[in-house]
Amino acid sequence: MTTNSIEIKDISKKFVLRHTRSLKEAFVWIMKGRKGDLSKKFYALDGITLDIATGESVALLGLNGSGKSTLLKHISGVMLPDTGSVATRGRVAGLIEVGAGFHPDLSGRDNVYLNGAILGMSKEEIDAAFDSIVAFSEIEEFIDTEVKFYSSGMYLRLAFSVAVHTDPDVFLIDEILAVGDEPFQKKCLAKIKELHAAGKTLIVVSHDLDVVAKVCDRGILMQQGHAVMDAPVAEVIAKLRS
Amino acid sequence: MGGSGTSNALLPLTSPGHGSGLLDIFRSRYLLNLLVQKELKVRYRGSVLGILWSYVKPGMQFVVFYIALGVFLGLEQSPTNRSGMPNYAIYLFSGIALINFFTEALGNAARSVVGNSGLIQKIYLPRQLFPVASVWVSAVHFLPQVLILAFVCVLNGWRPGFLEIGVAVAAFVMVGLLATGLGLFFGAVNVYFRDAENFVDMLLLVATWASPVLYSWEMVHNKVGPTWFALYQLNPLTVAVESFHLAFWYPTTVETVALVPNLLSLWIPVGMAISLTVLILGQLVFRRLEGRFAQEL
Ligand SMILES: Nc1ncnc2c1ncn2[C@@H]1O[C@H](COP(=O)(O)OP(=O)(O)OP(=O)(O)O)[C@@H](O)[C@H]1O
Ligand SMILES: [Mg+2]
């Protein structure tokens, strides 16, 4: 029997196209009996239903603005759906953006602790993993330098390293590998494959189709908030390339 | 530690993004601790005086008020000015320290959610942490000021008993709860209307004058009469400032000055209840609004 790591049932999300921030406009709107919408809306996610089994490795593909990042944010809990429901099993770690939660004025060491705690680790867990985190990132010399002096690749190395050491059950990766140099990208890919082999659930968003083909089994094609195709990754890539 | 493929089945399905309010703060106290440390490290980065700034600023404020009000306007008692207050400097400083705690805490808490937008948009974590951390940071700045106050009081014959210490702690808790409650409220509203932080600034400007920090409560009582004075007393900050006076200033005087009637039996419990209510309401509003933080920021 397979268990699902992620169960998404018919979720939709509307966003505001034009933000109204003036009290005057809001006042006029209320005075007119709240008729119509105060601002224009559109669906960023529209009726998505998706089950992802534990241990699956899924690629989310699609053009810019098709809703991939938005979907990941719903899985990580950053956003809540307007309708429908999302359920996840176990610890979810999102690498939505490199080094979110890093503070430029703190040293690499402090940031490892801060970011680890933000991703849900306890002090003991971080203490235990610290050496391994630094070793994986290969920036030992700079660990006590403030991260504002890091290059973007070094930033990525440390951030990625912390994230993989949170030992998540579900790992969300959004476009982050692009910044690293060739050897480190290889290392990350190897690590991702290792996580996959260990039975973790992966969701990868990337425009680098070659990378995606290497690490994912299943592909989901997003188009204007709809999941229009759900098939083995090679087929989705073929469709995207055609 | 996370589970492997097999133990995974034992974990329940949970709905991401639904926190359990202030209870989460307790669960994430290590993260809270780190956020507070971060703030303390980062606040005065690159400045020579560093954390001393959080003493220089209130110290300066104190000196200005003392000279203007105590000396020029004659609030300080002296051989030539019998009608003033004894030990006005202690009176003034105990109030200013407490009000500054509130001002700093609420001012930063109201900005904390918007200030951490980068994080809130990308990673789910209990967002109540940010306003609470702001209040905590202010408490860290506040406590050494209390030590200075206590030291000066001791030089003036202050020998505190359980009553004084208990009342001082109650005042601190009252202000902390109030600042957290209002901080949660305005921090959340600020995401939708940035007017909130400006409104808070205005509120804080009024706060110093709406409590007997610079003047004595009797001046208010004599002008407005008992009914309006009761209204004045409904402000927990007012009660907290009066409590600080009772704890620190009053014992250093010859104790012939009048204290606010029923402070212990009535107003401290009332102030505490109001602060708690504000905290609960602030928390409710925060939880109503936090679902849309990530998309509105
Ligand atoms: N907070 C927000 N408020 C309003 N609109 C938003 C918000 N976040 C995303 N959108 C819109 O939702 C749509 C989907 O965005 P999303 O970031 O999910 O795209 P994506 O598939 O990740 O694109 P990319 O490949 O460029 O990363 C876009 O049109 C975007 O402008
Ligand atoms: Mg994206």
Side-chain angles (χ1 to χ4, degrees):
Chain A
M1 201 194 89
T2 57
T3 52
N4 286 333
S5 267
I6 300 170
E7 292 181 5
I8 297 172
K9 287 201 182 68
D10 197 26
I11 61 166
S12 63
K13 186 74 184 175
K14 260 192 217 166
F15 280 139
V16 178
L17 266 186
R18 183 177 54 89
H19 284 260
T20 307
R21 274 289 176 279
S22 112
L23 277 177
K24 191 181 116 204
E25 275 181 73
F27 182 72
V28 170
W29 177 70
I30 289 168
M31 281 296 121
K32 284 183 177 163
R34 299 174 176 234
K35 277 198 204 73
D37 265 340
L38 186 56
S39 40
K40 255 186 98 188
K41 300 201 170 144
F42 78 103
Y43 280 97
L45 295 177
D46 194 356
I48 299 217
T49 299
L50 195 62
D51 282 347
I52 294 176
T54 302
E56 254 191 310
S57 161
V58 180
L60 272 186
L61 302 169
L63 303 179
N64 293 140
S66 54
K68 305 179 297 290
S69 300
T70 307
L71 184 56
L72 287 194
K73 286 181 181 176
H74 280 77
I75 296 172
S76 66
V78 168
M79 286 182 182
L80 299 176
D82 293 340
T83 61
S85 68
V86 181
T88 56
R89 204 187 296 277
R91 181 186 281 178
V92 178
L95 265 188
I96 305 279
E97 193 171 300
V98 184
F102 268 35
H103 197 288
D105 289 303
L106 294 180
S107 69
R109 181 184 303 274
D110 289 342
N111 269 305
V112 167
Y113 277 89
L114 185 60
N115 213 33
I118 286 171
L119 293 174
M121 293 169 88
S122 68
K123 183 174 191 313
E124 294 70 34
E125 283 173 317
I126 305 172
D127 282 337
F130 188 83
D131 291 337
S132 169
I133 290 173
V134 177
F136 185 88
S137 67
E138 298 168 18
I139 53 161
E140 286 91 346
E141 285 172 68
F142 299 97
I143 194 65
D144 287 310
T145 309
E146 291 156 325
V147 300
K148 64 181 167 191
F149 300 122
Y150 282 19
S151 70
S152 38
M154 288 162 69
Y155 224 82
L156 163 82
R157 282 162 175 257
L158 199 58
F160 185 86
S161 188
V162 175
V164 291
H165 282 85
T166 58
D167 192 21
D169 299 296
V170 178
F171 203 32
L172 313 173
I173 302 165
D174 192 353
E175 308 271 13
I176 51 141
L177 299 178
V179 209
D181 54 23
E182 181 83 26
F184 192 70
Q185 277 196 26
K186 286 224 174 79
K187 194 169 171 179
C188 290
L189 282 181
K191 187 76 193 175
I192 291 172
K193 283 186 183 154
E194 191 187 312
L195 289 170
H196 184 34
K200 310 290 179 188
T201 311
L202 301 177
I203 305 185
V204 181
V205 172
S206 177
H207 293 290
D208 187 338
L209 299 181
D210 297 327
V211 166
V212 162
K214 270 186 229 155
V215 287
C216 300
D217 310 322
R218 177 179 167 193
I220 293 169
L221 181 60
M222 303 273 302
Q223 213 170 65
Q224 293 175 351
H226 299 273
V228 291
M229 188 176 175
D230 186 345
V233 74
E235 289 175 30
V236 179
I237 290 176
K239 156 116 181 167
L240 204 61
R241 284 204 164 127
S242 66
Chain B
M1 292 263 116
S4 67
T6 43
S7 69
N8 235 351
L10 303 173
L11 296 168
L13 275 171
T14 52
S15 188
H18 294 274
S20 31
L22 286 180
L23 214 72
D24 282 339
I25 303 294
F26 186 71
R27 291 201 196 108
S28 347
R29 41 191 192 284
Y30 177 57
L31 177 53
L32 176 65
N33 190 354
L34 286 183
L35 287 173
V36 170
Q37 281 179 28
K38 176 203 90 175
E39 196 55 39
L40 290 173
K41 268 190 199 167
V42 163
R43 174 81 58 89
Y44 297 108
R45 62 176 181 263
S47 69
V48 181
L49 288 184
I51 197 159
L52 279 179
W53 275 115
S54 59
Y55 302 102
V56 174
K57 280 187 283 183
M60 196 64 192
Q61 194 186 8
F62 166 75
V63 169
V64 170
F65 278 139
Y66 179 74
I67 295 175
L69 300 168
V71 181
F72 295 162
L73 285 178
L75 289 176
E76 160 102 280
Q77 199 176 59
S78 64
T80 52
N81 177 24
R82 296 257 113 237
S83 63
M85 281 186 265
N87 284 345
Y88 179 70
I90 292 177
Y91 184 90
L92 184 63
F93 188 69
S94 49
I96 284 188
L98 197 61
I99 286 285
N100 277 344
F101 166 46
F102 179 76
T103 318
E104 191 196 320
L106 179 53
N108 291 335
R111 288 170 169 78
S112 63
V113 178
V114 169
N116 284 288
S117 60
L119 209 49
I120 290 172
Q121 284 170 312
K122 279 152 206 152
I123 299 176
Y124 175 74
L125 70 172
R127 290 103 172 193
Q128 276 96 346
L129 279 171
F130 300 115
V132 171
S134 301
V135 175
W136 206 271
V137 168
S138 313
V140 172
H141 287 151
F142 169 66
L143 287 176
Q145 297 185 27
V146 175
L147 292 183
I148 296 175
L149 173 65
F151 177 71
V152 174
C153 288
V154 167
L155 294 186
N156 283 277
W158 187 58
R159 299 293 175 268
F162 284 119
L163 176 78
E164 280 77 21
I165 298 198
V167 166
V169 170
F172 169 68
V173 171
M174 210 183 300
V175 175
L177 293 180
L178 186 71
T180 310
L182 291 175
L184 285 167
F185 177 82
F186 286 110
V189 172
N190 200 31
V191 173
Y192 298 81
F193 299 101
R194 298 292 150 86
D195 312 87
E197 58 185 54
N198 294 303
F199 182 77
V200 165
D201 287 344
M202 195 176 72
L203 205 71
L204 294 178
L205 201 69
V206 177
T208 318
W209 297 88
S211 298
V213 177
L214 312 169
Y215 50 83
S216 86
W217 67 271
E218 282 178 297
M219 297 177 181
V220 181
H221 191 268
N222 294 343
K223 278 272 192 287
V224 301
T227 320
W228 289 103
F229 184 70
L231 195 70
Y232 177 80
Q233 283 292 105
L234 285 180
N235 175 2
L237 274 182
T238 301
V239 178
V241 167
E242 288 160 357
S243 304
F244 249 46
H245 291 157
L246 186 153
F248 291 101
W249 167 72
Y250 184 67
T252 67
T253 67
V254 283
E255 311 204 343
T256 52
V257 286
L259 281 171
V260 180
N262 304 326
L263 186 60
L264 285 176
S265 56
L266 175 67
W267 294 118
I268 291 182
V270 166
M272 204 60 107
I274 293 177
S275 286
L276 262 178
T277 312
V278 169
L279 178 65
I280 291 165
L281 291 179
Q283 153 81 355
L284 278 177
V285 170
F286 194 94
R287 294 197 68 183
R288 280 294 296 261
L289 297 181
E290 74 169 336
R292 295 167 64 83
F293 278 178
Q295 70 202 70
E296 296 289 340
L297 280 166

